């Protein structure tokens, strides 16, 4: 299951606020449970832009993040970009979610969602694509389509087709997201000057990194919030 599911998580707000969610090329199964309302299931496709979520004290979420490629099973075809199913539409896609929604508290809901995921017969992605994912993350998003094609000994057209069919994103966009997260992680660690980080993250210069990070995160590199969270594979 670990090769298809990256994380099962939960969150309960202890104060009103908002959070910015960064795109990471994954599909997610979420349940939002606001105080005084019924829980709402959400199934997402891969996002290409950051979005903001507002919450009040006590609002809660449980979520399941799928590894790239597993979204094809979830959506029964190429995952749609920047799309989501909510409420009855999400349950219609995954009827067993109704069992999770009936749980009495957040902890049991998270446990139930994890148990449900363990029953899913998600087919493995092609081995050649799995190797591309791993190589791209090790490289911090710096591999080109040509690099991936050479690595797998296939054509660039085949690389693009694999990514579109299984991830929903072009390989270049996926690489850009990985590179953005790599840059954000280095910037938040403040391990070096921005110009050095830009070089380490594979950008032409600091200005190139600034444009790239702001495009996908909505934040200038110098104004990244302290409470920004990233998936563990990027942090």
């Amino acid at each position: 299951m670990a090769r298809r599911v990256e994380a099962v998580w939960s969150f309960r707000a202890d104060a009103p606020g908002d959070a910015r969610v960064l795109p990471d090329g994954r599909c997610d199964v979420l349940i939002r449970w606001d105080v005084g309302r019924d829980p709402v299931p959400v199934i997402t496709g891969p996002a290409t832009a950051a979005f903001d979520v507002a919450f009040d004290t006590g609002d809660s979420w449980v979520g399941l993040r799928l590894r790239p490629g597993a979204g094809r099973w979830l959506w029964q075809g190429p995952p749609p970009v920047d799309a989501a199913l909510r409420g009855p539409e999400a349950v219609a896609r995954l009827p067993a979610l109704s069992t999770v929604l009936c749980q009495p508290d957040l902890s049991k809901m998270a446990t139930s969602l994890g148990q449900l995921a363990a029953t899913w017969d998600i087919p493995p992605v092609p081995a050649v694509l799995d190797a591309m994912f791993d190589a791209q993350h090790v490289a911090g998003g710096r591999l080109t389509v040509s690099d991936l094609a050479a690595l797998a000994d296939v054509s660039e057209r085949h690389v693009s087709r694999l990514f579109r069919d299984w991830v929903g994103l072009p390989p270049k966009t996926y690489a850009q997201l990985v590179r953005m997260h790599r840059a954000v992680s280095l910037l938040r660690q403040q391990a070096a000057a921005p110009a050095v980080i830009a070089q380490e993250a594979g950008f032409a210069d600091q200005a190139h990194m600034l444009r790239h990070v702001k495009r996908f995160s909505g934040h200038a590199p110098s104004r990244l919030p302290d409470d920004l969270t990233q998936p563990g594979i990027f942090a």
Side-chain angles (χ1 to χ4, degrees), residues 3-193:
R3 292 297 287 179
R4 306 278 70 83
V5 175
E6 287 186 345
V8 179
W9 56 270
S10 63
F11 170 78
R12 186 189 302 276
D14 56 12
D18 58 77
R20 176 156 293 178
V21 180
L22 303 186
D24 60 10
R26 273 93 171 123
C27 295
D28 295 87
V29 179
L30 311 169
I31 296 173
R32 177 166 184 166
W33 195 358
D34 290 351
V35 173
R37 299 185 180 182
D38 293 332
V40 178
V42 182
I43 294 174
T44 76
T48 58
F51 60 92
D52 295 317
V53 179
F55 48 82
D56 290 321
T57 303
D59 289 351
S60 305
W61 287 262
V62 295
L64 186 149
R65 180 181 299 113
L66 297 180
R67 183 174 166 83
R72 180 178 175 85
W73 170 86
L74 183 65
W75 286 93
Q76 301 172 11
V81 179
D82 296 319
L85 299 174
R86 292 179 173 84
E89 288 184 331
V91 174
R93 178 57 54 88
L94 286 177
L97 278 178
S98 57
T99 301
V100 181
L101 296 171
C102 291
Q103 299 303 314
D105 58 53
L106 189 67
S107 176
K108 289 183 172 60
M109 193 174 282
T111 299
S112 180
L113 185 59
Q115 291 172 338
L116 175 61
T119 69
W120 293 344
D121 186 20
I122 302 177
V125 303
V128 65
L129 183 58
D130 235 359
M132 290 181 198
F133 292 149
D134 291 342
Q136 193 62 279
H137 280 273
V138 169
R142 287 179 286 188
L143 299 181
T144 65
V145 177
S146 177
D147 292 333
L148 294 175
L151 174 72
D153 195 22
V154 297
S155 69
E156 293 183 26
R157 180 177 296 181
H158 188 61
V159 172
S160 296
R161 185 167 57 247
L162 282 172
F163 269 83
R164 289 187 180 276
D165 286 351
W166 289 85
V167 183
L169 299 173
K172 182 178 179 179
T173 302
Y174 186 83
Q176 289 172 332
L177 293 176
V178 174
R179 191 185 301 184
M180 179 272 293
H181 277 279
R182 169 68 172 158
V184 167
S185 179
L186 290 171
L187 287 163
R188 294 180 68 207
Q189 294 170 18
Q190 298 181 338

